[in-house]
């Protein structure tokens, strides 16, 4: 009886394996295509960042970006139909980086320490990034270009507002929790406190102090003083 069963089992296993082969091939094919697309997008984004920094957002044309990327216009437009679409992708990357930085606030039980570290981490990421091609402060220099363009271009302004809105929500939630715990007594309402700190942080990033030779450690007391001045930590926080 066993001798009759085993061959059937083996046949079933072989049939299952045969069914899996097309699925594996399709998965590998789509995986390869996805990786190729990511590589091409990264190639275009790097070229665009170089052009925006060199010529400004307005001065950089799609043709210039094509030339920098070594691609035909037809090939580039398959990935990004406009400069605004490129900026939206870059902004999405920055949103992800900011989200990761803000998520680390929960690791600290001191809101002033947390805000100080958020400021330093953003400067480090924008002005001292060792990842990828281009100068270390590419993100900071691009930030200035995008910020300037947002004053004239509604599409770019909407992209910036989305990015800033997500950051404000995270900061507002952290400030609200600290206030409920009796750890801070802000000089103004929380919405204005968040907006003010964000504006001052942006100004520090736009000044790009590390590129001027200012060490990151020198900015630590600056961010701390801003946080203390606006949030006014109470004795409850000091005793932690």
């Amino acid at each position: 009886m066993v001798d009759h069963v085993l061959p059937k089992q083996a046949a079933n296993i072989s049939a299952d394996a045969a069914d899996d082969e097309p699925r594996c091939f399709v998965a590998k094919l789509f995986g390869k295509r996805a990786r190729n697309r990511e590589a091409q997008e990264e190639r275009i984004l790097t070229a665009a960042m170089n052009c925006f920094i060199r010529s400004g957002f307005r001065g950089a044309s799609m043709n210039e970006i094509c030339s920098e990327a070594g691609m035909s216009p037809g090939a580039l437009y398959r990935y990004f139909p406009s400069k605004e679409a490129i900026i939206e992708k870059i902004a999405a990357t920055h949103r992800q980086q900011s989200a990761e930085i803000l998520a680390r606030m929960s690791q600290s039980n001191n809101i002033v320490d947390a805000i100080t570290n958020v400021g330093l981490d953003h400067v480090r990421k924008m002005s001292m990034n060792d990842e990828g091609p281009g100068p270390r402060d590419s993100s900071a220099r691009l930030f200035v270009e995008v910020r300037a363009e947002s004053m004239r271009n509604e599409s770019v302004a909407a992209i910036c507002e989305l990015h800033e809105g997500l950051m404000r929500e995270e900061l507002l939630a952290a400030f609200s929790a600290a206030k409920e715990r009796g750890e801070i007594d802000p000089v103004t309402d929380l919405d204005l406190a968040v907006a003010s700190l964000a504006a001052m942080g942006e100004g520090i990033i736009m000044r790009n102090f590390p590129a001027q030779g200012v060490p990151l450690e020198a900015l630590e007391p600056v961010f701390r003083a801003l946080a203390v001045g606006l949030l006014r930590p109470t004795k409850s926080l000091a005793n932690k």
Side-chain angles (χ1 to χ4, degrees), residues 5 16 24 39 52 74-75 95 108 114 134 152 176 184 197 207 215:
V5 173
D16 291 341
C24 290
F52 292 155
R95 281 199 298 274
S108 175
R152 302 181 289 258
S176 297
I184 59 174
L197 271 177
R207 291 293 297 175

Side-chain angles (χ1 to χ4, degrees), residues 32-50 52 62 65-66 68-72 74-83 85-93 132-133 142:
K32 183 177 181 181
R33 286 180 178 176
R35 289 192 296 273
N36 287 342
R37 183 175 184 82
E38 288 176 2
Q40 290 294 79
E41 287 184 353
E42 187 63 30
R43 175 181 172 187
I44 295 168
L45 292 173
T46 298
M49 287 182 67
N50 290 337
F52 292 155
M62 289 296 273
I65 295 171
C66 289
E68 182 81 16
M71 300 175 71
S72 67
L76 186 144
Y77 280 108
R78 286 172 54 195
Y79 299 93
F80 298 102
S82 64
K83 288 192 289 184
I86 294 174
I87 286 296
E88 186 169 4
K89 183 70 174 182
I90 293 172
T93 300
L142 181 63

Side-chain angles (χ1 to χ4, degrees), residues 6 13 19 23 26 32 55 79 88 106 138 163-165 182 195 207 209 217 220 238:
L6 289 178
I13 292 172
D19 289 340
R23 287 197 291 268
V26 171
K32 183 177 181 181
S55 305
Y79 299 93
E88 186 169 4
S106 60
S138 292
H163 173 65
E164 292 164 14
R207 291 293 297 175
F209 287 122
E217 314 84 71
E220 194 274 344

Side-chain angles (χ1 to χ4, degrees), residues 104-125:
R104 291 198 288 272
M105 283 197 302
S106 60
Q107 298 175 6
S108 175
N109 62 356
N110 185 308
I111 189 64
V112 171
D113 288 345
I115 295 303
T116 300
N117 289 331
V118 164
L120 293 174
D121 284 346
H122 271 97
V123 171
R124 184 182 293 109
K125 196 67 181 177

